[in-house]
Amino acid sequence: MLIDHVPQKFLDQDWGLVLSVNLMSQLPIHLEKYIQKKLKNKFTDLEISGYLQNSTRNHLKYLNLFNTTVLMITDTEVIYCDKNDNVIQIDKNYDHLSLPEKILSWNWNLAPIPEFQKDVAIKMKVGAFAIKKQK
């Protein structure tokens, strides 16, 4: 059974600031690779899919448990553009989550043409978010 829970490690320590500096969209990808490599054929596709979907939700819940200011930097959208920089498609990664207050956002030119495809580029909208706690 895949244990789907909010982490508790480090919550009992007194931190002045907690940083989460990763792309939350990558969390499920790395977990899925690990599951496929180490736990192959032990779980159904449905079990794995549910577990992976909850990984970002649990990460955000975990950050909210710290009794200090938390700064989270993560991607929020994947933007596909054509060779004229016209938007073809936007995938919003976290519409299912209530993200904290956004401090700043920017576009990251992740895969310019032709790195992803010969006529499509990928950009990511990245944001810095603050979870403020009273000490």
Side-chain angles (χ1 to χ4, degrees), residues 9-16 66-68 135:
K9 193 166 180 123
F10 307 117
L11 293 175
D12 60 344
Q13 298 178 26
D14 187 23
W15 301 99
F66 283 93
N67 192 25
T68 191
K135 283 195 124 194

Side-chain angles (χ1 to χ4, degrees), residues 40-135:
K40 192 173 185 163
N41 301 321
K42 293 187 178 188
F43 303 100
T44 67
D45 289 343
L46 189 60
E47 288 173 313
I48 293 170
S49 174
Y51 177 77
L52 295 174
Q53 285 178 350
N54 284 334
S55 64
T56 52
R57 183 177 289 111
N58 288 341
H59 181 70
L60 188 56
K61 286 179 181 178
Y62 176 53
L63 295 177
N64 275 287
L65 292 174
F66 283 93
N67 192 25
T68 191
T69 299
V70 176
L71 178 65
M72 178 177 71
I73 297 175
T74 190
D75 56 322
T76 57
E77 296 178 356
V78 179
I79 305 161
Y80 299 87
C81 299
D82 66 16
K83 61 185 176 184
N84 296 317
D85 209 30
N86 296 314
V87 174
I88 301 168
Q89 177 180 328
I90 297 176
D91 294 339
K92 296 183 182 235
N93 298 334
Y94 307 116
D95 281 350
H96 65 290
L97 297 177
S98 295
L99 293 176
E101 172 190 351
K102 187 186 304 184
I103 301 170
L104 183 66
S105 68
W106 59 94
N107 285 330
W108 174 24
N109 196 10
L110 180 68
I113 293 173
E115 193 172 316
F116 172 65
Q117 289 181 355
K118 66 178 180 152
D119 55 356
V120 178
I122 299 176
K123 298 178 183 183
M124 282 189 155
K125 174 77 69 177
V126 179
F129 300 85
I131 302 170
K132 297 179 182 152
K133 304 285 180 154
Q134 299 296 325
K135 283 195 124 194

Side-chain angles (χ1 to χ4, degrees), residues 1-18:
M1 171 183 216
L2 289 167
I3 300 171
D4 184 8
H5 71 281
V6 177
Q8 300 296 308
K9 193 166 180 123
F10 307 117
L11 293 175
D12 60 344
Q13 298 178 26
D14 187 23
W15 301 99
L17 174 67
V18 172

